[in-house]
Amino acid sequence: MAKRAANPVFSGQGTTIFTVMSALATRHGAINLGQGFPDEDGPLAIREAAARALVHGPNQYPPMTGMPQLRRALSTHAARFYDLGFDSDNEVVVTSGATEALTASFMALASPGDEAIIIEPAYDSYRPALEAVGAKVKAIRLEPPHFRLTEDALASVFSEHTKLIAINSPMNPTGRVFGRDELGLLAAFLTRYDAYAVCDEVYEHLVFDGREHVPLISLPHMRERCVRIGSAGKMFSLTGWKVGWVMGPAALVSVIAKAHQFLTFTTSPALQLGIAHGLEDEMEYTLALQRKLQGKRDYLSAALQRAGFNVLPSEGTYFLTVDASHLVGNSDRMFCEFLTREVGIAAIPYSPFYGETAPKHLIRFAFCKRMEILEEAARRLETHFAPVSAK
Ligand code: PMP
Ligand code: GLN
């Protein structure tokens, strides 16, 4: 038996909470409001375009930075929605999901010993991906119920050692959509400390109540120090396809392409052509999805409130958060296991989104499910909790 230790960044990890809760939901026949994936596939025309490409080709390695059609469509999309100009030959790289784009960006921008900032509650891949490249991770925390990004929090972590910050807006799990005021504060710190921002914008179109998603890179002087990451999975309800991208200044994107070439090198050409078709012809689907999701958020939120939960504001994404202090005890994870087993609804505890001393009272529910599923969830909540809260 070889005794040499494997890399502790990974050997010390459990299985992701999303996988754990989905497996538990299956075992107990629970409604899965845990892992964030829609239960209806996105446009048939996109799937047919990909199927045609599978049958008729191309089926060999596509260009390393992505199919030109998709890179052009991504560049047009950024111009249409944000008035941003990206050269599709030098400033856009297609990746195997946003997860790969994030890891490739961290590999390309951070060197061992550099400080990298994450904002907790943080998406679970950020910390291990940064630590694997040897970055020293510093976390700031946003406080419920409003999870605002403040100058004090930024001042507490930025220093001359800061190389980059990973920022996610609209934000998983909080549902925050950062405003221009908060992004402006961050921009000032990035300039002062000559740091980069890796902007995870996978939920860019899923914003509610007339809010606007503002890419940090669109703020003055940010063009040279930000990269923005997106995911077709979220845009077109095709999360299993794992088609993502990163765009930004050529000086940064060219190095990210070097990391990408050694991570996955390329992404399925058929899926890329399907998504190119989606960006060209199916954006109506995405805009309608935004409206539908807002209604589903409101429905689930009302059901949870009737069941006695304190529902926090959700401005975007697939998710809403409840403060369940009155029920949770000292383990949010155990409470989610109980919800799955006894109430028949799986949800995600917040604690895995923190490095240490996580709050224990916050629970995330996904509302990107068919209405009849949400209605059944509401019935189960009512059956289980309403009699208690009515006392
Ligand atoms: N970032 C965030 C904030 C996410 O919620 C997710 C997961 N859906 C990803 C990145 C990963 O996206 P993808 O499935 O395209 O890798
Ligand atoms: N992003 C999805 C979520 O937050 C899960 C992705 C995954 O399972 N890795 O639920």
Side-chain angles (χ1 to χ4, degrees):
M1 247 302 255
K3 293 196 188 62
R4 299 299 295 272
N7 184 342
V9 170
F10 297 107
S11 62
Q13 295 282 332
T15 304
T16 83
I17 191 65
F18 310 116
T19 302
V20 168
M21 291 313 300
S22 283
L24 201 66
T26 305
R27 180 150 12 113
H28 293 286
I31 294 174
N32 192 352
L33 306 186
Q35 192 175 28
F37 62 91
D39 56 1
E40 286 176 303
D41 291 343
L44 182 61
I46 296 183
R47 289 179 276 138
E48 284 177 343
R52 273 196 302 280
L54 271 182
V55 173
H56 300 292
N59 283 300
Q60 306 309 324
Y61 294 128
M64 186 271 280
T65 58
M67 298 290 284
Q69 295 92 319
L70 178 53
R71 284 187 275 114
R72 280 197 297 269
L74 286 165
S75 172
T76 303
H77 171 272
R80 172 179 169 195
F81 287 94
Y82 311 111
D83 204 15
L84 286 167
F86 292 103
D87 168 5
S88 64
D89 286 331
N90 299 302
E91 298 190 310
V92 181
V93 172
V94 177
T95 57
S96 295
T99 310
E100 196 227 334
L102 285 159
T103 300
S105 301
F106 297 154
M107 288 170 75
L109 300 180
S111 304
D114 283 342
E115 287 186 5
I117 298 170
I118 62 172
I119 303 175
E120 290 181 341
Y123 187 60
D124 66 344
S125 81
Y126 297 176
R127 182 184 285 272
L130 282 163
E131 286 178 353
V133 302
K136 188 164 174 281
V137 175
K138 286 187 142 186
I140 47 178
R141 273 180 185 223
L142 306 184
E143 295 301 329
H146 297 298
F147 296 108
R148 282 189 62 78
L149 188 59
T150 64
E151 184 158 13
D152 285 352
L154 291 167
S156 72
V157 278
F158 266 91
S159 76
E160 64 277 17
H161 304 296
T162 305
K163 188 62 161 296
L164 66 86
I165 183 167
I167 174 157
N168 174 212
S169 182
M171 186 184 182
N172 178 8
T174 64
R176 264 317 306 285
V177 177
F178 293 116
R180 284 185 186 273
D181 53 338
E182 294 162 293
L183 296 173
L185 280 176
L186 174 55
F189 277 89
L190 291 172
T191 306
R192 190 175 323 151
Y193 291 100
D194 189 21
Y196 297 117
V198 175
C199 306
D200 178 346
E201 302 181 9
V202 300
Y203 300 102
E204 62 189 297
H205 286 292
L206 308 183
V207 294
F208 310 134
D209 309 313
R211 272 190 188 76
E212 172 196 28
H213 164 64
V214 180
L216 180 62
I217 197 170
S218 67
L219 267 55
H221 312 298
M222 288 298 104
R223 185 67 168 71
E224 66 200 79
R225 52 181 79 253
C226 295
V227 294
R228 61 185 300 264
I229 288 171
S231 169
K234 307 298 180 319
M235 222 180 246
F236 298 118
S237 303
L238 295 165
T239 61
W241 281 26
K242 300 295 286 188
V243 175
W245 51 82
V246 51
M247 52 184 92
L252 302 184
V253 167
S254 60
V255 190
I256 295 171
K258 300 282 167 54
H260 162 72
Q261 73 181 345
F262 296 130
L263 268 171
T264 58
F265 183 55
T266 54
T267 298
S268 157
L271 300 185
Q272 291 194 50
L273 290 176
I275 298 305
H277 174 78
L279 288 162
E280 284 157 9
D281 279 341
E282 301 291 334
M283 283 309 294
E284 278 313 311
Y285 168 85
T286 309
L287 303 177
L289 176 66
Q290 171 187 58
R291 293 190 290 274
K292 274 195 209 160
L293 278 175
Q294 178 174 322
K296 292 178 178 190
R297 174 203 63 177
D298 292 343
Y299 180 86
L300 184 63
S301 166
L304 284 160
Q305 282 176 39
R306 283 196 304 277
F309 288 92
N310 176 15
V311 181
L312 308 189
S314 159
E315 303 170 336
T317 74
Y318 289 157
F319 310 114
L320 62 75
T321 299
V322 300
D323 176 338
S325 316
H326 61 306
L327 291 167
V328 164
N330 58 10
S331 166
D332 56 349
R333 194 169 169 142
M334 276 168 67
F335 179 71
C336 286
E337 288 166 8
F338 157 82
L339 263 185
T340 311
R341 228 179 27 243
E342 306 296 332
V343 185
I345 299 176
I348 298 289
Y350 253 52
S351 47
F353 295 89
Y354 292 83
E356 47 197 42
T357 53
K360 298 289 183 212
H361 59 294
L362 300 174
I363 311 289
R364 187 194 87 176
F365 289 86
F367 47 79
C368 48
K369 305 291 169 181
R370 279 171 292 143
M371 231 17 238
E372 59 267 33
I373 299 293
L374 296 179
E375 283 161 7
E376 177 55 24
R379 271 192 291 280
R380 293 183 187 190
L381 284 168
E382 191 162 345
T383 310
H384 196 91
F385 292 106
V388 178
S389 56
K391 270 186 207 162

PDB file of all heavy atoms in Angstrom, residues 265-279:
ATOM      1  N   PHE A 265      -9.588  21.119 -22.811  1.00  0.00           N
ATOM      2  CA  PHE A 265      -9.207  21.428 -24.188  1.00  0.00           C
ATOM      3  C   PHE A 265     -10.398  21.912 -25.000  1.00  0.00           C
ATOM      4  O   PHE A 265     -10.357  22.972 -25.598  1.00  0.00           O
ATOM      5  CB  PHE A 265      -8.512  20.240 -24.859  1.00  0.00           C
ATOM      6  CG  PHE A 265      -8.035  20.539 -26.253  1.00  0.00           C
ATOM      7  CD1 PHE A 265      -7.190  21.606 -26.513  1.00  0.00           C
ATOM      8  CD2 PHE A 265      -8.443  19.752 -27.325  1.00  0.00           C
ATOM      9  CE1 PHE A 265      -6.766  21.889 -27.804  1.00  0.00           C
ATOM     10  CE2 PHE A 265      -8.017  20.031 -28.621  1.00  0.00           C
ATOM     11  CZ  PHE A 265      -7.175  21.099 -28.855  1.00  0.00           C
ATOM     12  N   THR A 266     -11.501  21.134 -25.026  1.00  0.00           N
ATOM     13  CA  THR A 266     -12.661  21.562 -25.816  1.00  0.00           C
ATOM     14  C   THR A 266     -13.952  21.069 -25.165  1.00  0.00           C
ATOM     15  O   THR A 266     -13.926  20.334 -24.191  1.00  0.00           O
ATOM     16  CB  THR A 266     -12.639  20.977 -27.250  1.00  0.00           C
ATOM     17  OG1 THR A 266     -12.500  19.570 -27.128  1.00  0.00           O
ATOM     18  CG2 THR A 266     -11.550  21.567 -28.092  1.00  0.00           C
ATOM     19  N   THR A 267     -15.052  21.449 -25.779  1.00  0.00           N
ATOM     20  CA  THR A 267     -16.399  21.093 -25.317  1.00  0.00           C
ATOM     21  C   THR A 267     -17.151  20.562 -26.533  1.00  0.00           C
ATOM     22  O   THR A 267     -16.931  21.056 -27.649  1.00  0.00           O
ATOM     23  CB  THR A 267     -17.075  22.366 -24.768  1.00  0.00           C
ATOM     24  OG1 THR A 267     -16.298  22.809 -23.652  1.00  0.00           O
ATOM     25  CG2 THR A 267     -18.498  22.124 -24.319  1.00  0.00           C
ATOM     26  N   SER A 268     -18.056  19.604 -26.314  1.00  0.00           N
ATOM     27  CA  SER A 268     -18.765  18.947 -27.414  1.00  0.00           C
ATOM     28  C   SER A 268     -19.236  19.928 -28.498  1.00  0.00           C
ATOM     29  O   SER A 268     -19.995  20.858 -28.218  1.00  0.00           O
ATOM     30  CB  SER A 268     -19.987  18.217 -26.851  1.00  0.00           C
ATOM     31  OG  SER A 268     -20.951  18.040 -27.876  1.00  0.00           O
ATOM     32  N   PRO A 269     -18.806  19.721 -29.756  1.00  0.00           N
ATOM     33  CA  PRO A 269     -19.194  20.666 -30.816  1.00  0.00           C
ATOM     34  C   PRO A 269     -20.706  20.691 -31.056  1.00  0.00           C
ATOM     35  O   PRO A 269     -21.272  21.749 -31.334  1.00  0.00           O
ATOM     36  CB  PRO A 269     -18.447  20.158 -32.056  1.00  0.00           C
ATOM     37  CG  PRO A 269     -18.044  18.753 -31.741  1.00  0.00           C
ATOM     38  CD  PRO A 269     -17.915  18.663 -30.259  1.00  0.00           C
ATOM     39  N   ALA A 270     -21.374  19.550 -30.916  1.00  0.00           N
ATOM     40  CA  ALA A 270     -22.827  19.519 -31.172  1.00  0.00           C
ATOM     41  C   ALA A 270     -23.558  20.388 -30.152  1.00  0.00           C
ATOM     42  O   ALA A 270     -24.459  21.159 -30.502  1.00  0.00           O
ATOM     43  CB  ALA A 270     -23.335  18.076 -31.106  1.00  0.00           C
ATOM     44  N   LEU A 271     -23.155  20.268 -28.891  1.00  0.00           N
ATOM     45  CA  LEU A 271     -23.810  21.080 -27.861  1.00  0.00           C
ATOM     46  C   LEU A 271     -23.508  22.562 -28.080  1.00  0.00           C
ATOM     47  O   LEU A 271     -24.371  23.428 -27.904  1.00  0.00           O
ATOM     48  CB  LEU A 271     -23.367  20.630 -26.469  1.00  0.00           C
ATOM     49  CG  LEU A 271     -23.676  19.165 -26.114  1.00  0.00           C
ATOM     50  CD1 LEU A 271     -23.295  18.865 -24.670  1.00  0.00           C
ATOM     51  CD2 LEU A 271     -25.151  18.827 -26.351  1.00  0.00           C
ATOM     52  N   GLN A 272     -22.310  22.851 -28.496  1.00  0.00           N
ATOM     53  CA  GLN A 272     -21.965  24.257 -28.770  1.00  0.00           C
ATOM     54  C   GLN A 272     -22.850  24.826 -29.879  1.00  0.00           C
ATOM     55  O   GLN A 272     -23.318  25.970 -29.796  1.00  0.00           O
ATOM     56  CB  GLN A 272     -20.505  24.387 -29.196  1.00  0.00           C
ATOM     57  CG  GLN A 272     -19.511  24.092 -28.086  1.00  0.00           C
ATOM     58  CD  GLN A 272     -18.113  24.557 -28.470  1.00  0.00           C
ATOM     59  OE1 GLN A 272     -17.915  25.687 -28.894  1.00  0.00           O
ATOM     60  NE2 GLN A 272     -17.140  23.682 -28.318  1.00  0.00           N
ATOM     61  N   LEU A 273     -23.080  24.018 -30.930  1.00  0.00           N
ATOM     62  CA  LEU A 273     -23.919  24.518 -32.039  1.00  0.00           C
ATOM     63  C   LEU A 273     -25.363  24.677 -31.586  1.00  0.00           C
ATOM     64  O   LEU A 273     -26.055  25.613 -31.996  1.00  0.00           O
ATOM     65  CB  LEU A 273     -23.807  23.582 -33.248  1.00  0.00           C
ATOM     66  CG  LEU A 273     -22.435  23.649 -33.933  1.00  0.00           C
ATOM     67  CD1 LEU A 273     -22.349  22.634 -35.068  1.00  0.00           C
ATOM     68  CD2 LEU A 273     -22.141  25.055 -34.454  1.00  0.00           C
ATOM     69  N   GLY A 274     -25.823  23.783 -30.719  1.00  0.00           N
ATOM     70  CA  GLY A 274     -27.179  23.925 -30.166  1.00  0.00           C
ATOM     71  C   GLY A 274     -27.303  25.247 -29.422  1.00  0.00           C
ATOM     72  O   GLY A 274     -28.271  26.003 -29.598  1.00  0.00           O
ATOM     73  N   ILE A 275     -26.327  25.569 -28.605  1.00  0.00           N
ATOM     74  CA  ILE A 275     -26.392  26.801 -27.801  1.00  0.00           C
ATOM     75  C   ILE A 275     -26.229  28.041 -28.690  1.00  0.00           C
ATOM     76  O   ILE A 275     -26.870  29.074 -28.445  1.00  0.00           O
ATOM     77  CB  ILE A 275     -25.332  26.768 -26.673  1.00  0.00           C
ATOM     78  CG1 ILE A 275     -25.604  25.595 -25.717  1.00  0.00           C
ATOM     79  CG2 ILE A 275     -25.323  28.083 -25.899  1.00  0.00           C
ATOM     80  CD1 ILE A 275     -26.993  25.560 -25.111  1.00  0.00           C
ATOM     81  N   ALA A 276     -25.418  27.924 -29.734  1.00  0.00           N
ATOM     82  CA  ALA A 276     -25.300  29.059 -30.670  1.00  0.00           C
ATOM     83  C   ALA A 276     -26.679  29.353 -31.250  1.00  0.00           C
ATOM     84  O   ALA A 276     -27.110  30.516 -31.324  1.00  0.00           O
ATOM     85  CB  ALA A 276     -24.303  28.728 -31.781  1.00  0.00           C
ATOM     86  N   HIS A 277     -27.398  28.313 -31.631  1.00  0.00           N
ATOM     87  CA  HIS A 277     -28.764  28.497 -32.145  1.00  0.00           C
ATOM     88  C   HIS A 277     -29.649  29.156 -31.082  1.00  0.00           C
ATOM     89  O   HIS A 277     -30.427  30.068 -31.379  1.00  0.00           O
ATOM     90  CB  HIS A 277     -29.355  27.149 -32.569  1.00  0.00           C
ATOM     91  CG  HIS A 277     -30.790  27.257 -32.955  1.00  0.00           C
ATOM     92  ND1 HIS A 277     -31.185  27.744 -34.177  1.00  0.00           N
ATOM     93  CD2 HIS A 277     -31.918  27.011 -32.250  1.00  0.00           C
ATOM     94  CE1 HIS A 277     -32.512  27.787 -34.211  1.00  0.00           C
ATOM     95  NE2 HIS A 277     -32.973  27.339 -33.061  1.00  0.00           N
ATOM     96  N   GLY A 278     -29.509  28.706 -29.841  1.00  0.00           N
ATOM     97  CA  GLY A 278     -30.308  29.276 -28.748  1.00  0.00           C
ATOM     98  C   GLY A 278     -30.068  30.770 -28.601  1.00  0.00           C
ATOM     99  O   GLY A 278     -31.009  31.556 -28.494  1.00  0.00           O
ATOM    100  N   LEU A 279     -28.805  31.170 -28.607  1.00  0.00           N
ATOM    101  CA  LEU A 279     -28.490  32.601 -28.430  1.00  0.00           C
ATOM    102  C   LEU A 279     -28.999  33.420 -29.619  1.00  0.00           C
ATOM    103  O   LEU A 279     -29.416  34.568 -29.458  1.00  0.00           O
ATOM    104  CB  LEU A 279     -26.977  32.783 -28.270  1.00  0.00           C
ATOM    105  CG  LEU A 279     -26.408  32.298 -26.935  1.00  0.00           C
ATOM    106  CD1 LEU A 279     -24.898  32.092 -27.017  1.00  0.00           C
ATOM    107  CD2 LEU A 279     -26.721  33.295 -25.819  1.00  0.00           C
TER     108      LEU A 279
END
